[in-house]
């Protein structure tokens, strides 16, 4: 890992994988998801690649303001989602202010890109380890007979494609990185591929565990881990919550870094830390908006966020196409 230009791929991947872990309910059947992923992976990668091309052509203060608002709103939704999950699992134990402080305060350390990159790699390793332990724990309770044999309908494929085509801001963030940081081979394609492979794999594990009851389960991954043969997920359940907090913290640090770049606060040295002068405003703004939206229906807000992101992407495509056309007309 080069300190002069650390890779943020692990941070982007962590930010996407945490969406799978914090989902409150299963979204589709694995067979339909596997078929849909073959189409959705290139679509997501193409959307991110085309956005990056158009962003360089249509980089306008209005677009930057819209992108920044989208990242800030997404940060609030992630904190609310973690708080609501903690409230279901540990009723009355964790307040919204505690969740905000636990996730946002460590961002002070992650203001430097190298620190964010190194932490993301560590969290990614922990996530892989915990996923492997959970798989070993529930392995005796997985039943091949739980796999559903009913023919899939068009509605099943539409549900899988709709869920997998959720456009998260992470697919758009590489447009803000320096050129040398985006030269990984097929980075967006790998990012979408790893994310949807993990998503489909988790759905398959849950179908083997729950069978036909899978769509009816709330917080299915956590419930399955509790039922495993290893008592670590019952006795040391707080470790699982800490892992979720670390993953959400990486996501928020990534968003803060992007916000700083959008606001023109980046230094010539790519690995320089973001200034602390903006951090109190960031922390206070997030806490205030979380308090205002604490009763928000996330089941409706999260799909709406994806629709807003797609709308912003289409708007950027149109702006980039218009800018490209204007340049050609001027040359003519």
């Amino acid at each position: 890992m080069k300190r002069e230009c650390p890779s943020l791929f692990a941070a982007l991947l962590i930010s996407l994988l945490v969406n799978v872990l914090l989902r409150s309910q299963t979204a589709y059947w694995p067979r339909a998801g596997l078929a849909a992923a073959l189409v959705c992976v290139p679509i997501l990668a193409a959307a991110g690649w085309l956005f990056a091309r158009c962003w360089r052509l249509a980089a306008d203060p209005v677009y930057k303001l819209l992108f920044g608002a989208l990242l800030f709103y997404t940060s609030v939704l992630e904190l609310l989602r973690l708080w609501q999950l903690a409230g279901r699992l540990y009723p009355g134990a964790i307040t919204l202010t505690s969740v905000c402080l636990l996730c946002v305060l460590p961002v002070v350390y992650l203001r430097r890109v190298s620190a964010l990159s190194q932490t993301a790699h560590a969290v990614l390793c922990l996530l892989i380890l915990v996923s492997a332990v959970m798989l070993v724990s529930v392995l005796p309770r997985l039943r091949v007979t739980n796999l559903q044999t009913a023919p899939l309908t068009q509605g099943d494929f539409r549900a899988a494609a709709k869920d997998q085509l959720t456009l998260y801001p992470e697919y758009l963030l590489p447009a803000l990185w320096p050129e040398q940081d985006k030269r990984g081979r097929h980075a967006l394609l790998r990012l979408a591929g790893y994310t949807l492979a993990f998503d489909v794999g988790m759905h398959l594990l849950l179908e083997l565990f729950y069978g036909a009851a899978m769509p009816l389960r709330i917080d299915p991954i956590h419930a399955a881990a509790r039922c495993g043969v290893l008592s670590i997920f019952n006795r040391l359940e707080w470790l699982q919550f800490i892992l979720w907090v670390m993953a959400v913290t990486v996501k928020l640090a990534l968003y803060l870094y992007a916000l700083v770049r959008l606001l023109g606060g980046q230094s010539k040295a790519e690995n320089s830390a973001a200034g602390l002068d903006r951090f109190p405003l960031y922390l206070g703004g997030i806490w205030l908006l979380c308090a205002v939206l604490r009763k928000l229906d996330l089941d409706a807000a999260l799909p709406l966020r994806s629709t807003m992101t797609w709308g912003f992407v289409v708007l950027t495509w149109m702006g980039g196409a218009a800018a490209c056309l204007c340049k050609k007309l001027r040359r003519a």
Side-chain angles (χ1 to χ4, degrees):
M1 183 189 306
K2 294 183 178 180
R3 185 175 177 83
E4 294 77 10
C5 186
S7 172
L8 290 173
F9 184 84
L12 291 169
L13 186 58
I14 280 290
S15 297
L16 289 170
L17 295 185
V18 73
N19 296 307
V20 179
L21 297 177
L22 298 184
R23 181 184 285 121
S24 63
Q25 198 165 8
T26 51
Y28 56 81
W29 295 108
R31 286 183 296 156
L34 181 60
L38 299 177
V39 178
C40 294
V41 167
I43 290 177
L44 291 173
W49 177 82
L50 189 57
F51 175 83
R53 296 292 298 270
C54 293
W55 178 261
R56 292 194 292 271
L57 295 172
D60 183 87
V62 176
Y63 287 96
K64 293 181 179 181
L65 183 62
L66 290 175
F67 201 0
L70 177 64
L71 292 175
F72 195 82
Y73 179 61
T74 301
S75 301
V76 172
L77 291 184
E78 296 301 333
L79 287 172
L80 289 175
R81 179 164 61 173
L82 180 60
W83 172 60
Q84 290 188 6
L85 174 64
R88 290 193 300 269
L89 301 179
Y90 321 107
I94 301 175
T95 64
L96 179 57
T97 300
S98 300
V99 171
C100 290
L101 293 177
L102 282 173
C103 293
V104 180
L105 285 182
V107 175
V108 174
Y109 168 73
L110 301 179
R111 292 176 300 119
R112 191 178 296 277
V113 182
S114 59
L116 174 57
S117 177
Q118 293 167 7
T119 303
H121 280 86
V123 175
L124 184 60
C125 291
L126 285 174
L127 176 62
I128 293 173
L129 178 61
V130 170
S131 299
V133 171
M134 189 191 76
L135 178 60
V136 172
S137 178
V138 301
L139 195 60
R141 299 194 58 172
L142 301 183
R143 301 288 184 268
V144 177
T145 54
N146 284 337
L147 293 176
Q148 302 302 296
T149 58
L152 296 175
T153 64
Q154 291 185 356
D156 294 324
F157 290 105
R158 283 197 298 268
K162 180 181 178 181
D163 183 75
Q164 292 181 355
L165 285 178
T166 299
L167 188 62
Y168 297 103
E170 283 79 4
Y171 292 113
L172 312 182
L173 292 182
L176 305 178
W177 301 165
E179 283 297 325
Q180 64 269 23
D181 203 30
K182 298 187 295 180
R183 289 180 182 173
R185 291 181 58 84
H186 314 297
L188 283 169
L189 194 61
R190 289 187 291 119
L191 191 66
Y194 293 156
T195 302
L196 293 190
F198 182 76
D199 195 11
V200 174
M202 279 297 175
H203 277 79
L204 176 60
L205 184 148
L206 294 174
E207 184 180 0
L208 289 170
F209 189 87
Y210 293 112
M214 182 184 72
L216 306 177
R217 300 295 305 185
I218 303 297
D219 301 320
I221 296 178
H222 183 83
R226 277 179 165 179
C227 296
V229 297
L230 299 180
S231 60
I232 182 174
F233 292 103
N234 287 324
R235 297 182 181 180
L236 299 179
E237 198 172 30
W238 54 274
L239 286 176
Q240 189 177 182
F241 181 73
I242 289 177
L243 178 61
W244 293 341
V245 169
M246 292 170 64
V248 173
T249 297
V250 169
K251 179 188 284 281
L252 296 181
L254 197 61
Y255 289 172
L256 177 61
Y257 174 65
L259 283 169
V260 170
R261 293 190 63 84
L262 285 169
L263 295 175
Q266 69 270 26
S267 172
K268 292 182 180 179
E270 180 58 29
N271 194 32
S272 61
L276 282 174
D277 54 333
R278 296 176 178 85
F279 188 76
L281 181 62
Y282 178 71
L283 174 59
I286 280 185
W287 176 82
L288 180 61
L289 194 54
C290 282
V292 172
L293 301 177
R294 61 186 303 154
K295 295 184 178 180
L296 184 68
D297 182 8
L298 290 182
D299 291 335
L302 290 171
L304 179 60
R305 190 272 313 273
S306 178
T307 302
M308 293 167 56
T309 306
W310 275 111
F312 173 67
V313 167
V314 172
L315 184 64
T316 305
W317 289 347
M318 295 171 59
C324 183
L325 181 60
C326 289
K327 285 185 178 180
K328 290 184 177 180
L329 290 177
R330 289 175 182 175
R331 290 176 183 175

